[in-house]
Amino acid sequence: MRSPRRCSRNGCPRQAVATLTYVYNESTAVVGPLAAFAEPHTYDLCEPHARSLTAPRGWDVVRHEGEFEPPPPTTDDLVALAEAVREAARPVAPRPPENDETLNTAPQTGRRGHLRVIPPTH
Ligand SMILES: [Zn+2]
């Protein structure tokens, strides 16, 4: 099961859309699409942080050009569970009558062809 990944920057609540990888032997920081698996020397970044990343002195930055695709939405089990509980606790509402049906089966009111049926007055 996957859980939504967050930007690894301190205090950043945004969803990660990119992965920063430090290639130490080439002194290169690579900002690419979100990696499927977290590996050593990789850091998930949100889009603003991915775009604003600057390399340490003496390092190059290789940045993925183009859009960072957010990962597909994941089913949050907690949300699903909460929905299920709410569903179970909800009283079963009577099904409202459908308006069209009411008009067709109730001859007291409404139009029938070119004649207007007048409800009886008391
Ligand atoms: Zn961030």
Side-chain angles (χ1 to χ4, degrees), residues 8-9 12 15 34 38 42 59 83 90-91 95 106 110:
S8 60
R9 290 292 159 104
C12 180
Q15 186 182 31
L34 191 66
T42 67
W59 283 58
E83 289 288 338
R90 192 179 296 151
R95 206 175 116 84

Side-chain angles (χ1 to χ4, degrees), residues 6-9 11-15 44-50:
R6 303 253 172 245
C7 179
S8 60
R9 290 292 159 104
C12 180
R14 281 182 290 257
Q15 186 182 31
D44 292 341
L45 294 176
C46 64
E47 179 157 1
H49 276 134

Side-chain angles (χ1 to χ4, degrees), residues 73-85:
T74 54
T75 307
D76 191 318
D77 281 351
L78 269 182
V79 171
L81 183 64
E83 289 288 338
V85 168

